[in-house]
Amino acid sequence: MNDMKNAGTVATIPSDAEVTARVEALLGRMSLEEKVGQLAQISGADFMPGPKAEEIIRKRGAGSVLWLNDTKKFNELQKIAVEESPSGIPLLFALDVIHGYRTIFPVPLAMASSWDPAVAEQAQTIAAKEARAAGLHWTFGPMLDIARDARWGRIVEGAGEDPYLGAAMAAAQVRGFQGNDLADPERVVACAKHFAGYGAADGGRDYDPVFLSEAQLRNVYFPPFQAAVNAGVATFMSAYMDLNNVPASGNRWLLRDVLRGEFGFAGFVVSDAIAVGNLVVQGHARDGRDAALRSLKAGLNMDMASSVYLENLADLVNEGLLSMAEIDEMVRPILSLKVRMGLFEHPYVDETLLEKVVALPEHRQAARVAAQRSMVLLRNEGGLLPLPKTLKNVAVIGPLADSMEATEGSWMVFGHKPAAVTVLQGIRAKLPEASVTYAPGPEIRKDIPSFFDEVIFSEAQKPIQTPEAAEAAFQTAVETARGADVVIMVLGENANMAGEFASRGSLDLPGRQEELLKAVVALGKPVVLVLLNGRPLSINWAAEHVPAILEAWEPGTEGGNAVADILFGEVNPGGKLPVCFPRSGSHAPLYYARTLTHQPEDHPQYRSRYWDSPTTPLYPFGFGLSYTTFSITNLNVSASQVKIGESVTVTADVTNTGKVAGDEVVQLYIHQKWGSDSRPMRELKGFKRVPLNPGETKTVTFNLGADELRYWSTNAGRWLQDAAAFDIWVGADSLATLHADLEVVN
Ligand code: GLC
């Protein structure tokens, strides 16, 4: 296949008029069957029932193929589409490239912890380059769901609990994936998902119904999606679940009124997997035919893998229930994208390209830096960290310490074989002269494996460890620790414990990890805890008894090296939490941007909302420590009073008051004290990650104007900006105390 036309240099970008003319000409030549084919995304994997991809493509063409990761096969299917199908329209090949294709970057929740959009942009730029070299055109990312319930497994895939940080990460990832030219042969089409509100599933139970007010949707859950549209995202994906009793894939208000009507989105919407057919299962549609009609009318362009569009749309047109114009309206943006990507001119991929691209050293270096910048130092009592490189005898203990899968984390690409540098390997590479012993301790497993565990994760394929073997492993781990000068515990969750269909009721360390941690700490040696996990964990005991805790998340292919870089002081951690850590799963959902009650937490009588535990988070949103110290002073607001619609400039000085260079993330929060609606006691409205040498001071500047101060009011049923008084805080986390006042008047 190598002699085929392949992704060549970037063609001249066709004008909108040229694109329109080509699309209309194509539509004019296409039969109804062929148009319906473009509205279908068909499975390239053989785990799906029904006709094979080749058969469908040859008969009528198809919009896209997913769940295939085979460069040679891409070209084979493309050849059928281009040379044998009636209309010769090329296919879009799509896959979930969420945080890397072959070079795996930190999971998105980790990249959000960097509070550095450039980290996410570069990661997705490299992911796009590798994915495109493999023959993929379209990634089902970025995932933009705000998540305020750590029990929800897919919290790992997003940017955490805050819409302002989430919007910044959304735009950065779209830029990374798509660049600024859809015909660029080193980019892929992005897909803003899952529209919308998926992260608010009842009980954190993945796929469960979501009930959100319009104010919550518009003020919290929509902003990252709006940011993606503003950044030019070419596609959206509708979510699985019912949103206020209407499944997102059949939700006209969501897909037409909001997404097209208000956001001005001009691309196309693909459903989530089988979601159109599942309108029947969810009790919304009577049958597949009804489901197809409802989704099409609601503005859903492409049916992912349910075949309900393929089986019903032509009949619905022939029976007059749908018009050809309605079909054409859905097909146009799909054809338009294929024209803009230059797919008609360059439908094939050079099969020799991938191995050259993935071998580029700068890819792994970028992954290492991204992992370093994503990690969050949660505790460092007595300055135990950084550890000296002169150490001679270190024990590395825990079931994740040498797990490539846990290090690369959730949502690796279909068919990817984990190849991470594990924490154990990273430490051994850092201390080549030292004795670095290792013991995993008892294994950890899900109590109830999911479908994904059978087909994707190796952990579930292993035989279950017997209690006797677990006990022996426990004792071996304690004895291994006993023989060392310093112990590094690597605990948390396996890669399959967060992600899709991986919600859990508890946020505790799974298995006997905490028991092992306590036994090792009881030995009286210096203990460092490194967390590998895809969600906040209720590490209440560790937070009190383990002197040093590094949140490494799921750090990717270079994760072990990045952990060692930080533990031994070559890199000073500067990450901050994009989501708070609840003290218990039962406290979720828990988030900082809450409205005040009549007895707020600073009320003299306030103790706790629960009588059995504090309700404050173990670690607050925006929190993270450093090997140095910083001060944030001299907060200044350019005016103490402005009119509605006017802006102020907020400045503050940040100084490195310690002995080593480091980054501080300076954060700006507001609180509107009264207005049409009650407003959150704090809302992030600005952040900057600032590198500082010891003794250095920099001034950080933020702008506060209508964009930051307006909100959608339940009371008024519209967007507005109130005349009101505001608190302004600037600091190093969501508990910032440096305060100023602002008055907004009519
Ligand atoms: C999955 C996920 C979605 C993914 C799609 C295709 O079920 O919900 O995020 O992009 O199917 O793999």
Side-chain angles (χ1 to χ4, degrees), residues 191-254:
C191 182
K193 74 182 185 182
H194 308 79
F195 196 55
Y198 183 20
D202 277 353
R205 294 181 297 273
D206 198 14
Y207 305 152
D208 262 27
V210 167
F211 296 92
L212 290 169
S213 68
E214 191 159 358
Q216 284 171 305
L217 282 166
R218 293 179 179 283
N219 293 322
V220 179
Y221 290 84
F222 285 173
F225 289 100
Q226 174 76 71
V229 171
N230 296 347
V233 73
T235 69
F236 260 61
M237 181 186 294
S238 57
Y240 278 129
M241 82 294 142
D242 287 5
L243 172 61
N244 300 327
N245 292 328
V246 181
S249 298
N251 195 316
R252 181 188 187 89
W253 175 75
L254 206 50

Side-chain angles (χ1 to χ4, degrees), residues 615-637:
T615 34
T616 50
L618 183 59
Y619 298 109
F621 174 81
F623 174 79
L625 301 174
S626 170
Y627 292 154
T628 186
T629 52
F630 299 96
S631 70
I632 297 175
T633 58
N634 196 17
L635 171 57
N636 183 274
V637 183

Side-chain angles (χ1 to χ4, degrees), residues 507-531:
L507 298 177
D508 295 343
L509 288 166
R512 298 179 60 187
Q513 295 183 97
E514 183 155 290
E515 185 192 344
L516 179 60
L517 179 61
K518 288 177 175 176
V520 167
V521 167
L523 298 174
K525 297 170 182 295
V527 176
V528 176
L529 171 59
V530 176
L531 289 172

